[in-house]
Amino acid sequence: MLSIIFKENKRMNESRKIHLLVALPSALLLASGQAFAHENQHEAVSTEAVDKTQQLWGLAADPGTADQTITISMSDDMRFSPEKLSVREGETVTFKIRNEGEMMHEFVLGTEETLAEHAALMVKFPGMEHSEPYMVHVPPGETGEVNWTFNKSGHFDFACLIAGHYQSGMVGTIAVEVSDK
């Protein structure tokens, strides 16, 4: 089936190629039952193992393995509190994300570049469905959780990428300091 898609893809113009590249991963996630819409997703319940693919900003951790827990609040003024964090390289953190607003918000870890790219896609495709271990969608009045190991030092970011939220300044930073170990 993929060979048919790729043969057909050769005949498509550039605009259609881009749409296929954006839609194909979402379609595959939807078919596998792992997709979640930003507007109506509640805490994802999964029986699958955590995807521990290395990212520039670290890798997913199993629940219950954290060295520390950091609580972050989100609000409809398009801000996180706190918005600046510091952790040690090698540290595993459980982020408890509270939505104190009246609209859906999300918490997504990444780099400034990856978050900006994803935010631009969210503006074009606001109903885009996906779920990664470095993000959580939190309905009003609820709490979500992300478990993450920061195995690389550097400066990383977190943001709400729901269309308009990122553009309104709903971002924060994480300084991952070199470990003394």
Side-chain angles (χ1 to χ4, degrees):
M1 180 173 165
L2 286 177
S3 64
I4 295 170
I5 291 172
F6 289 116
K7 285 179 185 175
E8 192 63 31
N9 190 27
K10 289 181 181 179
R11 294 184 210 134
M12 294 180 182
N13 64 33
E14 288 301 312
S15 174
R16 287 186 180 168
K17 285 181 186 177
I18 291 169
H19 287 117
L20 178 62
L21 290 173
V22 170
L24 186 58
S26 296
L28 291 173
L29 282 174
L30 186 60
S32 70
Q34 296 178 11
F36 304 101
H38 284 277
E39 289 80 16
N40 59 11
Q41 177 184 339
H42 294 276
E43 188 171 328
V45 177
S46 175
T47 57
E48 295 182 27
V50 175
D51 177 4
K52 294 184 181 180
T53 302
Q54 179 68 52
Q55 303 295 328
L56 294 173
W57 53 94
L59 58 113
D62 291 318
T65 62
D67 299 309
Q68 74 164 309
T69 298
I70 298 174
T71 300
I72 299 176
S73 298
M74 302 182 291
S75 63
D76 294 345
D77 66 356
M78 303 302 158
R79 295 292 180 260
F80 290 100
S81 179
E83 62 185 30
K84 294 183 181 190
L85 305 171
S86 179
V87 300
R88 305 291 297 164
E89 179 183 12
E91 193 168 30
T92 298
V93 177
T94 293
F95 292 100
K96 297 278 187 180
I97 313 299
R98 285 193 327 244
N99 184 348
E100 296 177 350
E102 295 183 20
M103 63 179 73
M104 176 70 82
H105 290 292
E106 67 180 4
F107 172 86
V108 182
L109 290 168
T111 64
E112 185 176 355
E113 182 180 80
T114 60
L115 293 173
E117 288 174 7
H118 190 150
L121 282 174
M122 291 301 300
V123 169
K124 286 183 178 181
F125 307 101
M128 188 168 68
E129 298 178 347
H130 56 275
S131 179
E132 301 291 343
Y134 50 85
M135 66 175 57
V136 64
H137 309 275
V138 186
E142 294 190 25
T143 301
E145 186 174 291
V146 170
N147 297 287
W148 201 256
T149 299
F150 291 95
N151 62 356
K152 295 183 176 190
S153 62
H155 292 292
F156 305 105
D157 298 283
F158 56 93
C160 178
L161 302 181
I162 293 175
H165 296 205
Y166 177 82
Q167 294 77 5
S168 296
M170 197 165 182
V171 298
T173 61
I174 302 172
V176 181
E177 300 169 359
V178 176
S179 177
D180 293 335
K181 294 181 186 178

